[in-house]
Each structure stands twice: as C-alpha cells, then as structure tokens.
Amino acid sequence: MSGILRSKYRTALPLFLSIFQGLAEAVSPVSIKGTKLYDESGAQFFLKGTVYVAGDNRNDPLLNTTQCQIDAEHLKNVGANAVYIYSIDVSKLGQHRGCMEEFDKQGIYVWLQLGQLPMVLSRSDNTPRWDLGFYNTWTSIIDSFSEHDNLLAFGIGQETINGTSVTTLVAPSVKAAARDLKLFRDKRGYRPIPISYTAGDFEQYRLLTAQYLTCGPAESGVDLYGINIFNNCSDDKLDRLRSEFSNHHTPVVFAEDGCFPETREFSEVQTFFGESEFSRIFSGMNIYQWGRNEFGFALVVYGDEADRNLGQPSTFLPAYTSLQQVWSETVPQSTSRDAYTFSSTQLPCPTANPQVGWLVDRAAALPVISGLDINTVTARTRRTRPTTSTSATAVPTESGDSSRDNSRDEEVLASSGMSAGAIAGMAIGIVAAVVGGAGAAFWFLRRRKSRQGEPDDHNGPYEKAAADSDRLSTAKTELPDQERAANELEGRFHHHQLPVKTDWKYPLEAGSKPVSELPDGAGRPGNHFELEGSPVHGPGYNPGAELPAPAPVPK
C-alpha cells in the first residue's frame, strides 16, 4: 500500500513543483505613472530589450515555441528583459501562447506592434486611414494578447510620420486609433496596457509628433512614445534628445537603437542608463536587432543554411558580449513609485506651421469611424495567474530530462519538514482549487450572458451613436451585420494587420538623394530606413519613381 501511495505522491510532485516554479517565475505587469514605468511592487522598470528577429516566419516570430524557448534563455543571459515585435500573423491568433509563456518564464516582456496605418503621400489624398478593418483586426489582437502579464505595450505605428511634411497628415488617424483602442481596452475590462507610437529618426518631426499624439485628454492620446535612433549617435545628438524631451509628460523609450553599427560598443547605452539626467527622462531602449539580416545589425548568428535565424545560435557576435557587459555594469538611477511625484505639465498641441513642416491644425477634429459603436463592447473575464514575483527579473530555472529521479524533489521537501501526506494533500488541494475555479468561472459567464450589461459612462466620440443604437451585442466587433460579413468574406481583417514580411529593415543606398517633397506633397525616396516588402511602403515612397537598389551586404 505504501508503495502505491509513494507512486501517487511521485506523480503529484512534478505537478506541484511545476506550479510552484511557475508562480516564482511569473513577471509582474508594468504600468505607467507620470513619465515612468513601474512593476506591481512599485519598483521602476527600465526597458532593456532587443528587436526580436528570429524563427522561420519573418512575419511572426511568436509562432515557433521551440525557437522562443531557445532564444529566451540567451536573451536573459545577455541581460535583456524585453523583445520588440514588428508583426504577428492574425490568421493564427491563439497560437502565440507558447512563445509568450516561454518569454514570461525568463522574465522577458513583449512590446507588440499591432500594424501600420497607410502613410499619406499627397496633400490631396483624403482617404481615411483609420477604418473598420483596422479596428477589427487590432482589437482582435488585443483580445488575444491582453491576458499575458508580460505584454508590455501595443504599438499603433512605426515611422508613419517621417521625413516629409505631407506625412504629418496621418497624425489625426493615429491619434483616433489610440483613442478607440484605449476605449475598447477599458470597456473590455483589461488592465491599462499602454498604447504606443514609434517615431523615426527625423529630428524635424519627432518632438512635434510626440506633442500632438499626447496633448489633450489622456484618453485620446498615446501612453508611451518610442523613438528610433540610428547611425552616428554623437554626444550632441544625445544631448539634443535629452533637451527635447526633458519636459515631456509621458514615458519615452528608444524603440530601436541602431547607433554606431560598425563598432557596436554601446556607449549610448551607458549614457542613457548610467547618467541620471538621461535616466530621469528615458525609460530604456531596444537594441536593433537580435538575429542577423543581410546588412548586419545583429547580436547572434544562427547556423541554419537557409539563414532563417532558426535553431541554436552558432555564433555570439562581439556585440552580444559588449552589450552583456554594458547592461551588467550600468545601473540606472531609479525612483520608487511611492517616492515619485509627477510634476511635469502637459505640452500644448502644436499648431499647423508649413514653415516647419507640420500640416495638422491643433483644432482639427479626430476622425470617427462610421458604423462603429464601441458602447456595445462588453467586459470579458481574463485568465488570471497568481504571482509571487513583483520583479521584472525571473528566477533562474533548471532544465533537465522529464524522466529524472524524483527522489531529490522529495528530499528537498522533506528537509523543509513536509511529509509525503502533506505533499499529496497540497497537490489535491491545488487540483480542487483549479476545478472549483473553472466551475465558478463557468457559472459567472453563464450568468453574465443571461443579462444585459450596462454601458460604461465613458463613450468618447461614440456616445451619440451608442445612444441612438438599438443594437445590443456581446460580439467584439461593432459593425452592422452585413458590413461585418463583407469584411470577413473579403479578408480585410487580415490585410489590415499587414502580416507580410514587415520585420526586416534595410538602408537604401547611401548615395541617393535626401528625402524631398514634390510640389503636390508627394515624397521622393531618399537615404532612410524602411520596412522591406511591406505592402505599406516606407518613408518617402513614390509609386512613380524607381527605388534605388539596396546597399551591398557589409563584409
């Protein structure tokens, strides 16, 4: 009999230990207070991430759980606590949990771009940028990922406003997207996951863009502002960035750091993390990038013949070691949430000024999507997981064969005074709690479906539409039935997330002309970075002009 019981205890032990280990490793959700990021313990969070390019799917690096498991360990070893993801395949929503959990185990957060609004290329182009297709696709992604505590932020644009003044005309659409997605998020009952925008390395527009996207009521602006910096990041350039954003009222981070691509000694990382006048303003950065593309900018190289960034890295480049050392030796000066008093004032919205290239009037109304009724969004229960950790750093774990001897586990528990019966009782209690929780959740959902939910008081610009609407729906999409069906048949939902090879940047030829504006407001291609193969073309794209050939691969 004792042998049977011991066999049962051994069966329960791995379950108990894996649950306990998962609790210890769970990351703490990050939130915003003033210009800073904080975890649940009140400790300030600084982003130490990389642009994550890996796996056999360039459009979606979060589909290959095995690859994420491999890379998450190496990311943790280099000192990273986050990855920046350009895109995911919305046709495979629900298949990303494995990667999210592998990153979670290593204390790594995910900053996920929802997609990219089409750029404005001409002053005469009045085509709406923020529409029902984008809304449905992006809110579907929010629904799929909001349950993960290590989801750091949702991005709604990357360099959509860039080197020509005409591109600033998309700004109201970007801001309208932020407004609607935040309202959707809040009505769903999700935690306040930040909505972000990432600006390009265009000094003329980056502060104006930040001011416009964050001015006015907080519910209609972005929460987190990202900046991309590349090439020669001189002391003068860094000082200008510090001066520009010294009084900004939201957190600012560097979404892509591609400074000094030839040396990659990361002196700019030392500056931003090690000097208090910078760490007071900026909340960290993502290093561009993890896996190699054809133009360098990598921390590791994979050994697969197809160069798909697949499997174990075959080489850890000098940049990996340099970054590891800089991150381990440079500790930013932090302020706890309780000790932090937010005193910055909100900057005014910029006025339209063609002389400086900003064409958006501060009084211009934000676009509203016809047929959208956000008031019909209903709250959802969230799969929750209790956590004992409040730090962004995970507890290290041991990997091993699942067939290993469990006697060591029993010895560890025995040394703490726990009997085999107590172990079994705890395991049974955990199972009972899970079953009971599932039953309670089922009862709650059935009860909620049987009644009509009261609309939230905050309806934003859709308040009148909600009041005039007789429709009550528990569906996420707030479209008329026929319009929703048409979108599904036409596949517009998937198109609007743009999951088509959007994660590989490349520089155009250095000898090409700078970006310039044509008389009608269209742009010419110039020396800049854009997304290779994206159906939404990069900065300065002109369909009537032939793009120069990419620069040769550095040797």
Side-chain angles (χ1 to χ4, degrees):
M1 182 68 178
S2 61
I4 296 175
L5 288 176
R6 180 166 295 277
S7 175
K8 291 184 177 180
Y9 298 158
R10 287 190 174 183
T11 302
L13 268 172
L15 172 63
F16 170 75
L17 291 176
S18 64
I19 293 174
F20 179 80
Q21 189 178 64
L23 296 179
E25 292 165 348
V27 302
S28 168
V30 170
S31 59
I32 291 174
K33 180 181 179 181
T35 63
K36 303 184 188 300
L37 303 172
Y38 288 97
D39 67 15
E40 285 186 331
S41 73
Q44 188 174 352
F45 177 84
F46 287 92
L47 180 70
K48 297 165 67 175
T50 69
V51 175
Y52 185 58
V53 179
D56 53 354
N57 189 329
R58 292 186 174 187
N59 308 321
D60 191 343
L62 298 181
L63 281 177
N64 190 327
T65 302
T66 301
Q67 190 62 47
C68 290
Q69 181 181 36
I70 292 171
D71 291 333
E73 183 175 346
H74 297 308
L75 284 160
K76 178 183 177 181
N77 288 339
V78 78
N81 63 13
V83 289
Y84 185 65
I85 306 295
Y86 284 127
S87 67
I88 55 100
D89 187 345
V90 294
S91 69
K92 294 180 171 58
L93 290 180
Q95 300 179 35
H96 302 98
R97 178 169 293 173
C99 276
M100 293 298 293
E101 292 181 348
E102 290 301 327
F103 285 133
D104 185 293
K105 290 177 184 178
Q106 300 296 341
I108 294 173
Y109 293 82
V110 175
W111 181 356
L112 176 62
Q113 284 289 326
L114 296 175
Q116 181 87 328
L117 293 177
M119 293 180 181
V120 177
L121 302 176
S122 171
R123 287 189 178 96
S124 60
D125 184 358
N126 297 317
T127 305
R129 263 52 186 176
W130 176 237
D131 62 19
L132 288 167
F134 278 106
Y135 173 85
N136 277 273
T137 299
W138 290 6
T139 52
S140 294
I141 299 172
I142 290 175
D143 271 337
S144 182
F145 281 85
S146 290
E147 67 174 339
H148 299 287
D149 288 340
N150 62 329
L151 198 290
L152 181 66
F154 289 117
I156 59 171
Q158 164 113 343
E159 303 186 6
T160 318
I161 300 167
N162 55 69
T164 60
S165 62
V166 70
T167 62
T168 65
L169 294 174
V170 77
S173 292
V174 175
K175 196 166 184 178
R179 175 201 63 203
D180 293 350
L181 295 177
K182 290 171 71 172
L183 180 56
F184 171 86
R185 175 200 67 190
D186 295 344
K187 283 187 171 292
R188 270 288 196 240
Y190 299 142
R191 64 183 174 89
I193 300 171
I195 301 297
S196 69
Y197 174 80
T198 298
D201 195 2
F202 302 100
E203 186 170 358
Q204 182 178 0
Y205 300 107
R206 64 190 175 210
L207 182 58
L208 288 167
T209 302
Q211 290 174 341
Y212 180 81
L213 293 181
T214 61
C215 69
E219 60 267 20
S220 63
V222 299
D223 306 303
L224 177 66
Y225 191 69
I227 305 171
N228 294 342
I229 51 174
F230 279 87
N231 299 322
N232 181 21
C233 302
S234 63
D235 290 342
D236 288 342
K237 180 176 182 176
L238 302 186
D239 286 338
R240 290 196 301 274
L241 283 163
R242 175 180 55 81
S243 177
E244 286 178 19
F245 291 94
S246 60
N247 293 319
H248 197 63
H249 58 279
T250 68
V252 180
V253 297
F254 293 96
E256 296 179 354
D257 170 15
C259 292
F260 306 112
E262 295 181 356
T263 58
R264 301 295 273 178
E265 294 177 353
F266 302 107
S267 60
E268 76 284 0
V269 177
Q270 292 176 313
T271 297
F272 286 118
F273 284 97
E275 299 185 17
S276 59
E277 62 266 33
F278 285 92
S279 60
R280 177 183 64 84
I281 300 169
F282 302 105
S283 295
M285 57 178 53
N286 296 309
I287 303 302
Y288 185 85
Q289 62 181 13
W290 177 250
R292 184 178 64 180
N293 65 11
E294 56 266 42
F295 296 98
F297 281 116
L299 299 178
V300 299
V301 175
Y302 295 83
D304 61 303
E305 295 182 358
D307 198 23
R308 293 176 299 169
N309 294 323
L310 193 63
Q312 283 285 353
S314 60
T315 304
F316 294 88
L317 297 174
Y320 182 98
T321 306
S322 296
L323 181 62
Q324 186 180 49
Q325 181 176 351
V326 169
W327 269 344
S328 65
E329 296 177 351
T330 309
V331 180
Q333 182 176 321
S334 62
T335 305
S336 69
R337 188 192 342 243
D338 291 340
Y340 173 50
T341 302
F342 178 52
S343 58
S344 179
T345 57
Q346 191 175 62
L347 296 175
C349 296
T351 59
N353 187 346
Q355 298 301 316
V356 299
W358 188 259
L359 305 183
V360 181
D361 185 77
R362 70 168 69 181
L366 301 183
V368 176
I369 299 175
S370 175
L372 178 64
D373 184 4
I374 298 182
N375 189 57
T376 63
V377 173
T378 57
R380 280 191 174 182
T381 55
R382 174 177 175 270
R383 184 176 70 95
T384 59
R385 175 190 56 197
T387 173
T388 59
S389 171
T390 56
S391 171
T393 303
V395 176
T397 63
E398 293 182 1
S399 59
D401 188 0
S402 60
S403 63
R404 62 187 174 89
D405 186 2
N406 291 320
S407 61
R408 175 58 180 162
D409 298 332
E410 294 177 352
E411 290 173 10
V412 172
L413 294 174
S415 67
S416 63
M418 298 177 66
S419 67
I423 297 169
M426 291 181 68
I428 293 171
I430 291 171
V431 173
V434 171
V435 173
F442 177 76
W443 172 84
F444 177 78
L445 290 173
R446 289 292 299 271
R447 183 172 181 265
R448 189 178 64 188
K449 285 184 178 181
S450 66
R451 65 185 183 184
Q452 294 178 347
E454 293 296 327
D456 200 310
D457 291 338
H458 170 49
N459 298 310
Y462 300 98
E463 187 169 6
K464 184 177 184 302
D468 294 340
S469 175
D470 293 326
R471 293 185 294 113
L472 287 174
S473 171
T474 58
K476 173 189 66 63
T477 53
E478 290 67 50
L479 305 175
D481 290 344
Q482 56 269 54
E483 205 162 358
R484 182 189 303 123
N487 280 335
E488 290 175 348
L489 288 173
E490 295 171 7
R492 292 181 64 207
F493 296 169
H494 294 174
H495 167 75
H496 282 76
Q497 206 271 330
L498 306 176
V500 183
K501 201 179 179 185
T502 59
D503 59 349
W504 291 77
K505 286 192 166 186
Y506 66 96
L508 297 181
E509 277 190 319
S512 61
K513 295 181 180 180
V515 175
S516 59
E517 190 173 329
L518 298 178
D520 66 348
R524 280 195 178 93
N527 183 22
H528 55 265
F529 290 84
E530 68 176 273
L531 301 179
E532 175 192 0
S534 171
V536 175
H537 298 282
Y541 173 74
N542 177 12
E546 183 177 352
L547 287 174
V553 179
K555 295 182 179 180

